[in-house]
Amino acid sequence: MSAPSMTKFILKRPWLKRWMIPLSKCVDDLIPEESDTVMLALKRLPPKEAYDRVFRLRRAFQCSLSHQLLPKDQQTKPEEDYLYLTPIIKQIEQESRERNDLDSMVVSRKEKDKL
């Protein structure tokens, strides 16, 4: 990732993961939005995914404000969980690396052999 992420920190601690899973649908919801790469990835999300992400974040914020956990029937099961933002971020980072490589490429003309 381009920006520091709490994802690995949370996933390494089972108790913290159990606490965070009801608050968010998946790990991609925990990626910080401060990075230009993540902001571009969010713009590339399909409209339904973007709406679902905002809904999950608002619902998590509301649960946090009311000091309640999300009911079990509304929590996402691990088998329903999928990465929706990470592939787009990786694609953007790959495009950026390719752009940097092409920008730094030096083109030189071959000298014709003198006979």
Side-chain angles (χ1 to χ4, degrees), residues 71-83:
K72 288 279 187 187
D73 60 334
Q74 294 180 11
Q75 293 179 11
T76 303
K77 296 169 187 61
E79 57 271 4
E80 296 173 355
D81 198 5
Y82 65 97
L83 298 176

Side-chain angles (χ1 to χ4, degrees), residues 5 10 14-15 20 50-51 60 64 67 74 80 84 107-108:
S5 175
I10 291 171
W15 63 273
M20 290 300 289
Y51 175 82
S64 176
H67 300 286
Q74 294 180 11
E80 296 173 355
Y84 65 93
V107 179
S108 61

